[in-house]
Amino acid sequence: MTVLDLGRATAGTDSGTGTEGTEFRLLGPVEIRDGRTGEDIVPPGSKQRALLSAFVIHAGQLLSVDRLTEELWGDRPPSNAANALQAHVARLRRLLPAPDGGHEWISTLPAGYLLTLGPATTDVQRFHRLSAKGRAALASDPGYAAELLRRALSLWRGPALQDSGKGPICTTEADRLEENRLTTLETLYEASLRCAQHGEITGELEKLTADHPLRERFYDLLMLALYRGGRQAEALGVYERARRRLMDALGIEPGPALRGRMEAILNHAPGLSAPPPPHSHAPARTVALAEALDLGGEIARLRRRIDELGLEQEALVRRFDAMVARLPGTT
């Protein structure tokens, strides 16, 4: 499986009970993973998805009635927009997992509404955390960085905020997340080149240059991968293809980074040579260990829940014994 085909993550999903394990997911179709049942809750209708997305994007921030009305109906709101919005919020409240410990998901305030995540998480948070760790590890341990970046990209299940309408909040956030995804892909392929895996990624980079014809960094990485594979003429052909696409679409020449790469390839610059395989400072690390520091809080929550279940079990046993003792014929 290539990094372009990565789908739903199969490991490392936060777990727990009640709101402790609840996760709001925006990296693909909008859904909620219920921490109590393990089921995925999909809001019905684009307006419900847009409303939930807006709340999650601005979790902990007040969203005014006017702003939410614009998000759901644009410049053509219904005559009773405030009541219609209130009805949508009420339906969304019923859809959310039952909160524990007095936690309330959505608060109604005089000026609007506010979503409080509490102990719940989002897949966007996990994506940003793993991406940041991957970038930080790139220089010292590119192999480990690549593992982290692949894990981050595996959280994507489709276009961000898919089928959530085209309101300004969702549109702006979807564009921002897509840019972050592409930047993470660029860093992943840079890590792969630092691991001397140029022969393994040329096909994926070819597809990326076709899918994102105005993104110069993908051309740059593809040229370097081809050159390191002994395909200098093809690398130079990639530059010409990029130049034509940029001129046709934007009327501009490639930027200095891409021109510099082309000149370095023409001159067989020593810096283009593939590096030796890097020595990992932690060869036994796995993707699961990548989040070891983040597991401490989850372990503590699970330990508390285990203690609670133990107390509940003891109470049930006492109640059972008391009921048995009341049966006729028992002593």
Side-chain angles (χ1 to χ4, degrees), residues 264-319:
I265 289 173
L266 282 172
N267 296 321
H268 297 279
L272 297 178
S273 301
H279 172 71
S280 174
H281 298 292
R285 283 185 295 199
T286 63
V287 171
L289 291 178
E291 294 186 312
L293 294 176
D294 300 309
L295 292 177
E298 181 66 17
I299 290 172
R301 288 192 292 269
L302 289 174
R303 190 183 304 279
R304 288 196 301 271
R305 184 54 178 164
I306 290 170
D307 292 340
E308 292 172 1
L309 290 173
L311 294 173
E312 291 177 12
Q313 183 179 19
E314 292 176 4
L316 287 171
V317 170
R318 288 195 298 270
R319 183 180 176 188

Side-chain angles (χ1 to χ4, degrees), residues 77-273:
S79 57
N80 59 342
N83 292 336
L85 175 61
Q86 186 178 35
H88 276 294
V89 172
R91 283 195 289 271
L92 186 57
R93 281 194 176 108
R94 292 194 293 270
L95 187 68
L96 292 171
D100 288 339
H103 170 253
E104 183 178 8
W105 290 117
I106 303 173
S107 302
T108 301
L109 303 174
Y113 300 91
L114 180 147
L115 175 90
T116 303
L117 284 178
T121 60
T122 73
D123 58 355
V124 174
Q125 292 170 338
R126 288 203 288 150
F127 171 72
H128 287 318
R129 184 174 66 244
L130 287 166
S131 297
K133 288 181 178 179
R135 290 192 300 273
L138 179 62
S140 61
D141 194 344
Y144 179 51
E147 289 183 8
L148 293 169
L149 296 167
R150 287 191 183 96
R151 178 64 179 277
L153 290 163
S154 74
L155 297 173
W156 286 72
R157 297 165 290 109
L161 302 166
Q162 186 174 330
D163 300 326
S164 295
K166 300 187 181 299
I169 295 176
C170 288
T171 299
T172 299
E173 182 68 5
D175 291 344
R176 185 183 71 86
L177 288 170
E178 175 63 9
E179 176 62 26
N180 290 336
R181 185 185 74 88
L182 294 175
T183 301
T184 300
L185 274 170
E186 292 169 351
T187 309
L188 170 60
Y189 288 112
E190 182 179 349
S192 300
L193 286 170
R194 293 189 183 203
C195 293
Q197 296 174 350
H198 45 272
E200 303 171 22
I201 62 174
T202 52
E204 297 169 31
L205 286 169
E206 287 280 9
K207 185 177 188 307
L208 284 168
T209 59
D211 292 343
H212 306 279
L214 304 182
R215 200 168 184 95
E216 295 188 37
R217 181 60 173 152
F218 287 138
Y219 292 111
D220 181 34
L221 293 164
L222 176 58
M223 290 170 65
L224 182 56
L226 289 169
Y227 179 82
R228 287 181 176 176
R231 301 158 68 179
Q232 180 188 17
E234 291 178 63
L236 295 173
V238 169
Y239 176 83
E240 288 302 319
R241 185 166 75 241
R243 180 179 178 277
R244 287 196 303 271
R245 288 175 175 172
L246 290 167
M247 287 296 297
D248 290 344
L250 304 175
I252 61 173
E253 294 280 348
L258 202 58
R259 291 199 304 271
R261 183 72 76 192
M262 181 268 293
E263 293 168 0
I265 289 173
L266 282 172
N267 296 321
H268 297 279
L272 297 178
S273 301

Side-chain angles (χ1 to χ4, degrees), residues 30 41-50 52 88 91-92 95 163:
V30 175
I41 302 170
V42 180
S46 61
K47 285 185 172 52
Q48 284 283 296
R49 292 189 290 271
L52 175 62
H88 276 294
R91 283 195 289 271
L92 186 57
L95 187 68
D163 300 326

